[in-house]
Every structure is written in C-alpha cells, then in structure tokens.
Amino acid sequence: MAVAIWNGTVIAESEKTVVVEGNHYFPPESVNTQYLKPSTTTSRCPWKGLANYYSLIVDGKINEDAAWYYAKPSDAAAAVKGYIAFWKGVDVR
C-alpha cells in the first residue's frame, strides 16, 4: 500500500500505484480530490509528454504545484495516463 501524506493529511492511498522513475503514480480514484486545486503550470518530459499540475490545499496551507499528471501521455507512458504523482514535501511511502 502506497500512501501520500502532506500537512498531516492523507492525500492518496492505493495498492495499485504505477512506479515510474521512482515516483508512485496514484490512480485518480485513490486521491482525495478535495485537497487538489488545478494549476496553470505545465512541463514537458522528453518521453512522457506534457504534464499538468495541481496545488494542494490542506487546513488553509497551500503547496503550489505539488502534484502532477499526464492527461495525454506518449504511448510509452500510457500506463500513467490520468494517474497523479506527488513531490515538494509530500511524504510518499
């Protein structure tokens, strides 16, 4: 079971994460979306494609762009389509 925790709150937990480059990508249904706020930030991975971001909001605290996902990944990264990964102080274990 993988769990993502930030600011003392469970953001996501799943037994069905996909691990890519050391990052756990959580299925969207395993993420507590009430803590996600869409961001306008994007980045591009050479082999996965365009990433979109969410900021996390927990108890009035904001962690900008702390989660990302690939809405339309390349064929090589199809396994993580729509799945959400975390960084920027989010404890994933």
Side-chain angles (χ1 to χ4, degrees), residues 36-69:
L36 303 182
K37 176 186 171 192
S39 169
T40 58
T41 301
T42 61
S43 64
R44 183 166 296 279
C45 172
W47 73 273
K48 291 187 289 280
L50 182 69
N52 296 92
Y53 289 78
Y54 292 111
S55 294
L56 301 179
I57 302 176
V58 176
D59 293 332
K61 294 186 179 178
I62 300 173
N63 190 345
E64 296 287 343
D65 302 329
W68 76 92
Y69 66 98

Side-chain angles (χ1 to χ4, degrees), residues 2-13 30-32 34-35 58:
V3 180
I5 300 169
W6 184 71
N7 199 26
T9 300
V10 174
I11 306 298
E13 61 183 322
S30 72
V31 178
N32 295 314
Q34 71 265 27
Y35 302 119
V58 176

Side-chain angles (χ1 to χ4, degrees), residues 3-23:
V3 180
I5 300 169
W6 184 71
N7 199 26
T9 300
V10 174
I11 306 298
E13 61 183 322
S14 177
E15 293 181 354
K16 297 179 181 178
T17 63
V18 176
V19 180
V20 176
E21 297 177 330
N23 295 304

